[in-house]
Amino acid sequence: MPFDKYAPFVPIVLDDRTWPNVTIDAAPIWCSVDLRDGNQALIDPMDPARKLRMFTELVAMGFKEIEIGFPSASQPDFDFLRQLIDDDLIPDDVWIQVLVQCRPELIERTYEGLAGAPRAIVHFYNSTNPLQREVVFNLDKAGIKDVAVNGATMCKAAEADLPVLPDGSRTQIRYEYSPESFTLTEPEYAIEVCEAVMGVIAPTPDEPIILNLPATVECYSPNVYGDVIEWFGRTIPQRDAVIVSLHPHNDRGCAVAAAEFGVMAGADRVEGTLFGNGERTGNVDVVNLAMNLFMNGVDPRLDVSDIDKLRRVAEYCNRLPVSPRHPYVGDLVYTAFSGSHQDAIKKGLDALDAKRDPATGEYDMFAVPYLPIDPKHVGRSYEAVIRVNSQSGKGGVAYVMKTEHGFDLPRRLQIEFSKTIQHITEDTGTEISPGLMWDQFQSEYLPSEPRFVLKSHELNTSSSEHSGRTVIQAQVEVDGAPRSIRGEGDGPVEAFVAALLLEFGERVSGEFDVLDYSEHAIGQGANTSAVAYIETVRGGGDIRWGVGKSANITTASLRAVLAAFERQL
């Protein structure tokens, strides 16, 4: 490993640092950048429906500042900005934020998009670190500072030209400036540029400027970040007219720690994304930060009481999975596979139950071994290896279904099916046999006489103007009556979902979508068959799984979709 090609970067040594003695006792100002920084990092950026779904969820969570895009650089971002304004979708207590480089034509386009907005934060930036100055822009320090000052001047001039609103008022504009790649910029020079920008914006304590200090690339340890933020807060003039904002990326895997140290060091505001989506290794995970506050008894000022819903929205909008081990939200984070851990957790939960108020069912303080928080506070439950009986810490539904029957159930299907098994074990007070477990699985997911039956199907991929689109013509029986359905989509599953909605959409109010899909083979050689698992959702967030089995994997997938559709009814 050529470690000699790299060197540690410690821009400031703050011998009289005070931030390590600070305890965070209040949430910072939160700003979501899911719709800008998070969106531009996606392989498949959000379409308008997904953008609006994400915006609506962020508002419902309690975000008061939401960066919605880069309207001067992207027509979809410009159109989404106009949709929010024209359709009056911005709540009275929410500030939308738009990003723009310090270039005349981009600033002009940004303010064109803002016409009619009730309020907005204009976030302008330019890169200030030595490598960018020399390699990208070929400008010295004075030249880079001029870029920032000219950007601020152009923004103020464009603000003056915004049209008067119908009620006679004017759009409220607040300003945010980022010396991009702040963590690789000389701290004294960053202060110099920010001070020059403040000279144009003329902030006051009543109308402060947001100075955002991005760790565009995380390049030093969180303790150094804390020192730099504390030094910046001490050094910047008119500190009472400045909101110090953090924008940590996660290149070193330390973004959460860096953000917390930065807040301890005096930062007022944090920009990040749900579950840390973003360029390269991602942005700081705002849900993680909020939950860390919650775990320490501090109001996070964000509603994460249904964390699975937030995950489903993030996965739907980003088309990226959240890891099973992701803090607070992953499928496995409230699960213990170790028998000793299971035993300790069970005893801890029993002790907690003994301390509950008989009238309210509440306890004073949560304390259970191996569980940092009560999973119920985020809409979850403790999921020990899904138990075969109410006492056992061994085996489990997943183990039995895989070893006895060859079905390797996805984790969230395990959780769904476990509820059926738990009812049986709790009612009988005894162990459930593998045979009875299989009978229950077949009854729930592979009934011998389903209402909806796939009889045959034909798939075609168009090579015309809709190149790559799959068309399906399927023959199904519904309660014994034959029906012929047709639909198209980007693949067999999407086409089949479209066909079902066209024919039977009224039965699910036109709301039915696939969230997750997995498959595997069962058996070997000539006896091999395929099993497919489909997770679906309909209006109101109702989740149902479908299971399909066939010698053909496509047929198995379609049967799984049909089974899930029937279960949704």
Side-chain angles (χ1 to χ4, degrees):
M1 295 287 289
F3 57 86
D4 58 324
K5 303 292 186 185
Y6 305 91
F9 180 52
V10 182
I12 282 177
V13 177
L14 200 64
D15 293 326
D16 60 342
R17 64 182 65 84
T18 62
W19 64 263
N21 297 321
V22 173
T23 298
I24 302 176
D25 57 8
I29 301 166
W30 302 114
C31 177
S32 163
V33 293
D34 290 88
L35 289 164
R36 195 277 299 174
D37 199 337
N39 186 47
Q40 73 185 31
L42 300 177
I43 298 170
D44 183 10
M46 299 179 208
D47 57 26
R50 284 175 164 79
K51 280 178 182 266
L52 188 57
R53 177 75 177 275
M54 177 65 81
F55 180 80
T56 302
E57 192 63 41
L58 295 170
V59 169
M61 285 181 68
F63 281 97
K64 304 304 180 187
E65 298 179 6
I66 301 172
E67 191 166 83
I68 57 92
F70 205 143
S72 62
S74 164
Q75 188 62 43
D77 280 7
F78 185 92
D79 292 342
F80 182 63
L81 170 61
R82 292 311 314 166
Q83 180 184 3
L84 293 179
I85 296 170
D86 294 338
D87 294 349
D88 194 22
L89 299 176
I90 306 168
D92 291 341
D93 60 347
V94 171
W95 290 74
I96 57 168
Q97 180 169 301
V98 291
L99 185 71
V100 61
Q101 289 177 317
C102 294
R103 291 167 51 186
E105 70 279 10
L106 301 184
I107 290 172
E108 179 181 355
R109 178 67 166 164
T110 298
Y111 279 86
E112 178 186 340
L114 286 174
R119 70 201 70 81
I121 299 170
V122 175
H123 179 187
F124 62 101
Y125 74 97
N126 65 310
S127 197
T128 56
N129 78 77
L131 188 61
Q132 294 263 22
R133 295 196 306 256
E134 297 166 10
V135 174
V136 179
F137 301 106
N138 193 28
L139 289 172
D140 59 12
K141 287 183 175 180
I144 290 293
K145 183 168 68 173
D146 284 345
V147 171
V149 170
N150 291 336
T153 302
M154 288 183 287
C155 285
K156 291 292 287 185
E159 177 188 352
D161 292 335
L162 281 172
V164 176
L165 300 177
D167 63 1
S169 64
R170 301 191 68 88
T171 300
Q172 290 180 267
I173 298 291
R174 293 167 53 199
Y175 285 101
E176 174 176 346
Y177 172 69
S178 289
E180 193 203 6
S181 61
F182 166 79
T183 48
L184 286 168
T185 300
E186 308 91 331
E188 296 83 358
Y189 178 62
I191 288 281
E192 181 182 336
V193 176
C194 288
E195 188 172 359
V197 167
M198 291 171 65
V200 176
I201 301 299
T204 67
D206 292 331
E207 295 184 358
I209 186 173
I210 301 168
L211 293 181
N212 190 50
L213 309 178
T216 308
V217 176
E218 188 180 32
C219 57
Y220 40 65
S221 57
N223 62 300
V224 175
Y225 191 66
D227 282 355
V228 172
I229 299 304
E230 181 169 341
W231 179 90
F232 185 93
R234 293 182 188 179
T235 309
I236 193 71
Q238 291 183 266
R239 180 62 179 89
D240 61 348
V242 171
I243 294 173
V244 175
S245 176
L246 310 178
H247 186 114
H249 277 252
N250 199 37
D251 299 88
R252 293 169 54 107
C254 300
V256 168
E260 291 181 335
F261 286 5
V263 172
M264 291 163 63
D268 309 296
R269 181 179 185 267
V270 176
E271 295 187 345
T273 59
L274 302 185
F275 312 118
N277 176 47
E279 293 278 18
R280 303 180 310 279
T281 55
N283 289 280
V284 70
D285 180 346
V286 171
V287 174
N288 196 339
L289 289 172
M291 287 304 304
N292 286 353
L293 292 175
F294 175 80
M295 180 184 166
N296 285 335
V298 177
D299 181 359
R301 298 174 64 185
L302 289 176
D303 183 358
V304 288
S305 58
D306 189 349
I307 206 166
D308 280 344
K309 179 187 177 187
L310 299 182
R311 179 185 63 191
R312 289 195 298 269
V313 170
E315 289 180 331
Y316 166 76
C317 294
N318 295 332
R319 294 181 175 175
L320 290 174
V322 173
S323 167
R325 299 293 184 188
H326 198 100
Y328 297 109
V329 68
D331 278 338
L332 300 178
V333 297
Y334 306 109
T335 300
F337 288 95
S338 161
S340 62
H341 287 199
Q342 287 185 352
D343 181 64
I345 291 170
K346 181 180 183 303
K347 290 174 180 175
L349 291 172
D350 290 344
L352 193 69
D353 287 340
K355 298 175 182 177
R356 293 181 186 275
D357 186 311
T360 65
E362 290 294 327
Y363 51 78
D364 288 334
M365 299 295 289
F366 181 79
V368 172
Y370 302 110
L371 292 181
I373 65 165
D374 188 337
K376 291 181 179 179
H377 290 154
V378 290
R380 295 284 294 273
S381 63
Y382 165 61
E383 298 131 6
V385 177
I386 303 171
R387 293 167 293 180
V388 179
N389 66 28
S390 59
Q391 305 298 317
S392 176
K394 300 178 181 178
V397 168
Y399 178 82
V400 172
M401 289 298 297
K402 185 174 182 179
T403 58
E404 298 288 335
H405 307 294
F407 280 65
D408 190 5
L409 306 185
R411 181 62 185 171
R412 292 200 285 272
L413 176 54
Q414 294 173 26
I415 296 169
E416 181 180 284
F417 180 45
S418 74
K419 296 175 183 177
T420 300
I421 302 305
Q422 287 173 345
H423 284 313
I424 295 172
T425 58
E426 290 169 0
D427 290 345
T428 63
T430 186
E431 184 174 353
I432 186 170
S433 69
L436 181 55
M437 185 185 297
W438 175 244
D439 290 342
Q440 291 296 322
F441 185 81
Q442 285 187 302
S443 175
E444 187 73 23
Y445 299 100
L446 296 170
S448 58
E449 295 182 2
R451 292 181 57 208
F452 287 69
V453 181
L454 177 67
K455 305 300 290 185
S456 65
H457 68 274
E458 181 178 349
L459 296 169
N460 290 288
T461 300
S462 172
S463 59
S464 62
E465 59 181 354
H466 301 293
S467 179
R469 298 282 284 179
T470 297
V471 177
I472 187 170
Q473 187 73 42
Q475 309 302 318
V476 298
E477 280 187 0
V478 182
D479 297 325
R483 304 283 285 269
S484 180
I485 64 175
R486 182 182 185 280
E488 70 172 72
D490 288 336
V493 168
E494 185 174 311
F496 194 47
V497 168
L500 290 172
L501 288 174
L502 284 173
E503 188 70 20
F504 310 109
E506 73 281 359
R507 303 194 185 194
V508 290
S509 301
E511 297 177 319
F512 178 76
D513 200 6
V514 171
L515 294 179
D516 199 9
Y517 168 83
S518 63
E519 62 181 69
H520 63 79
I522 298 179
Q524 295 181 343
N527 294 322
T528 300
S529 60
V531 62
Y533 310 95
I534 297 283
E535 184 184 29
T536 65
V537 63
R538 62 173 295 188
D542 295 327
I543 305 296
R544 295 288 186 277
W545 283 84
V547 180
K549 186 179 178 184
S550 173
N552 179 278
I553 185 58
T554 301
T555 302
S557 302
L558 300 182
R559 287 178 176 173
V561 171
L562 199 58
F565 188 82
E566 179 175 333
R567 294 188 72 235
Q568 287 284 11
L569 300 181

